[in-house]
Amino acid sequence: MERIVSKERIRRDIETIASFGRDGGGGRTSFSYGEEDGEVRKYLYDRMNQLGMTVSVDGVGNVRARLSGRDNSLPSVLSGSHVDSVAGGGDYDGVVGVVAALEVAQCIVDRKIDIARPYEVVIFSEEEGSNFGVTCAGSKAMTGYLKVQDLKDLKDQDGLSMYDRCRAAGFEPDSISNETLSPGDIHGMVELHVEQSVLLESESVQIGAVRSIAGLCQCRISFKGTANHAGSTPMRLRQDALVGAAGFISGVRNIVAEDPSPSVVGTVGSIRCEPNVSNVIPGEAIVTLDVRDVCQEAIERVVCACRLLMDQIAADFRLEVSFEVLGRQSPVNMSSGITRIISESAEKLGLSCKTMDSGAVHDSVLLNSVADTGLIFVPSSEGKSHCPEEFTDMDDIAAGTEVLLSTVVSLCNN
């Protein structure tokens, strides 16, 4: 099959977007609703307008740029991802999916490719959760999981709500109740993303056709003891909250390792200690727990075992303990039909392809509630992501974009 996409155009778009938010450590920091985010949006709006796309932006800043099809009364096919980053992140996470979706639009226009349905490039706001601690907030608002009151309740580290941040950025968050997608509003959604793991690279496979996305349970555990003098308090009389947290952290790894599910993972990624000074016994230690798997039963088993461990540690060290679920997401099966089209497109292009699962959550998970969705992975060098060393070879990105183009055209004409 003839190769159509422009690798140099893809490279230019990725490098330009990455230049907005470049930080001193060589990474990229661009949070939704910030100055860098505004610069990225301006660049992309200009590109979309040049292609004659109709650009609309909803109340939380989600972008939909539309190309007409032969019958604009038909529900459209969407493709895209996000352009916000974590602090000190890489250049490819999310951005590759947006640039690839834009390249598909460019190819449809330049090659005058016939599509029956409209095609839309979508850019989701606040996917990373860097502002408010909630991942995929934009796609959650688009699909009705977040309401206006939820936007008012979500606060950043400065105490500003997502509602207020949206208004300050020029959006109208009160409108989201009238902008929510329902089943039938769109025909399908396909997202291209860097894998953020090592499977494709380790097996020298060019394309991943994702069949399911892991669910997750994110929790916060607080151990409370007694802050006291580090020199004058005997070890046997201490109620050291950090010692309790340390036992919990090491225990999580053992619980996950012993679970029968081979794909379940557990992470303690954040710890806060109070008063956090060298000569005071910690009075409180707060940790997070993140458990993920494509099997919901495994998630529940691990979380339950972690709660039992937490209670045992509290009893052993005479601590108070509290447990709070911050968020849940059930495992999601992608559309088998779209996954098959992805695999067939890769085969026609002479590209190696593997059907696989995703341990990371993406915006396509939320769109799955209203339409058939598909997810394409391209390899990540050494699996690194959310760091300056994040890298995907441009040949792999171009190959993934060719598969995306073929898949989108097939869906638009179905």
Side-chain angles (χ1 to χ4, degrees):
M1 183 182 289
E2 178 190 5
R3 300 296 177 93
I4 296 175
V5 308
S6 168
K7 184 166 62 176
E8 291 310 311
R9 191 162 51 216
I10 292 170
R11 185 194 310 276
R12 180 201 65 197
D13 284 344
I14 291 174
E15 291 179 350
T16 301
I17 292 171
S19 70
F20 302 121
R22 180 67 70 222
D23 56 38
R28 175 174 177 262
T29 301
S30 179
F31 295 171
S32 295
Y33 316 122
E35 180 180 348
E36 297 84 3
D37 184 58
E39 293 173 326
V40 173
R41 286 173 179 273
K42 183 179 184 307
Y43 174 77
L44 290 171
Y45 293 163
D46 288 345
R47 289 277 285 112
M48 293 164 174
N49 288 328
Q50 289 167 8
L51 289 172
M53 306 182 83
T54 303
V55 180
S56 61
V57 185
D58 72 10
V60 296
N62 294 315
V63 180
R64 292 174 64 180
R66 180 182 174 104
L67 274 182
S68 293
R70 276 186 282 111
D71 185 352
N72 289 324
S73 68
L74 294 172
S76 57
V77 173
L78 274 60
S79 182
S81 193
H82 64 96
V83 292
D84 63 313
S85 76
V86 299
D91 296 350
Y92 301 88
D93 179 6
V95 172
V96 165
V98 171
V99 169
L102 188 60
E103 178 65 18
V104 166
Q106 184 85 55
C107 292
I108 291 172
V109 171
D110 290 350
R111 297 296 187 108
K112 296 181 172 57
I113 297 173
D114 180 62
I115 53 173
R117 300 175 180 276
Y119 168 65
E120 296 185 40
V121 175
V122 60
I123 306 171
F124 299 103
S125 292
E126 193 59 16
E127 192 271 353
E128 296 290 4
S130 298
N131 280 315
F132 311 103
V134 174
T135 57
C136 300
S139 51
K140 285 176 179 174
M142 183 182 284
T143 51
Y145 288 93
L146 287 181
K147 311 294 186 184
V148 173
Q149 186 58 50
D150 297 316
L151 304 184
K152 293 179 179 180
D153 293 338
L154 291 174
K155 301 293 178 65
D156 64 15
Q157 62 181 4
D158 297 321
L160 294 175
S161 70
M162 184 172 175
Y163 179 91
D164 289 334
R165 290 292 300 274
C166 287
R167 285 181 58 85
F171 307 125
E172 297 295 337
D174 287 307
S175 68
I176 65 167
S177 56
N178 299 318
E179 297 167 333
T180 302
L181 289 177
S182 299
D185 287 348
I186 62 173
H187 182 62
M189 158 76 183
V190 189
E191 182 175 8
L192 186 147
H193 209 282
V194 295
E195 184 193 359
Q196 300 177 287
S197 188
V198 296
L199 189 59
L200 292 178
E201 183 184 56
S202 67
E203 298 184 7
S204 299
V205 176
Q206 295 162 291
I207 300 295
V210 178
R211 65 189 165 200
S212 61
I213 297 179
L216 62 82
C217 182
Q218 294 173 319
C219 315
R220 180 163 53 216
I221 299 97
S222 172
F223 295 91
K224 290 185 178 181
T226 302
N228 216 329
H229 196 287
S232 59
T233 308
M235 298 299 289
R236 62 184 176 82
L237 298 179
R238 296 186 179 204
Q239 293 174 281
D240 190 326
L242 189 55
V243 169
F248 178 80
I249 293 167
S250 62
V252 167
R253 182 178 181 86
N254 295 332
I255 289 169
V256 173
E258 293 168 4
D259 191 86
S261 172
S263 53
V264 67
V265 295
T267 304
V268 176
S270 172
I271 181 167
R272 190 170 80 244
C273 176
E274 298 292 344
N276 199 32
V277 292
S278 62
N279 60 352
V280 179
I281 299 165
E284 183 175 20
I286 301 171
V287 301
T288 59
L289 173 67
D290 183 305
V291 180
R292 305 188 188 211
D293 199 8
V294 294
C295 172
Q296 183 66 37
E297 290 78 10
I299 296 173
E300 299 302 329
R301 277 197 309 269
V302 169
V303 171
C304 181
C306 287
R307 294 196 68 168
L308 291 174
L309 172 64
M310 171 191 84
D311 290 336
Q312 184 61 55
I313 287 173
D316 290 346
F317 294 98
R318 295 177 295 117
L319 304 172
E320 295 180 14
V321 67
S322 64
F323 177 91
E324 178 186 4
V325 174
L326 300 177
R328 290 184 181 272
Q329 176 68 55
S330 298
V332 170
N333 292 322
M334 311 307 287
S335 163
S336 58
I338 296 180
T339 301
R340 184 179 65 253
I341 294 171
I342 292 168
S343 299
E344 291 172 350
S345 296
E347 182 180 356
K348 290 176 184 177
L349 288 160
L351 301 169
S352 55
C353 182
K354 178 183 182 66
T355 301
M356 60 188 297
D357 299 323
S358 170
V361 175
H362 301 286
D363 289 302
S364 47
V365 169
L366 279 302
L367 272 291
N368 191 71
S369 65
V370 296
D372 287 345
T373 58
L375 181 59
I376 302 168
F377 275 168
V378 289
S380 295
S381 178
E382 299 182 5
K384 293 182 178 179
S385 188
H386 286 187
C387 62
E389 293 77 22
E390 178 181 271
F391 178 76
T392 295
D393 188 270
M394 205 56 60
D395 287 338
D396 289 327
I397 296 173
T401 306
E402 293 280 6
V403 173
L404 179 65
L405 172 61
S406 177
T407 303
V408 164
V409 171
S410 177
L411 290 173
C412 282
N413 289 318
N414 179 10

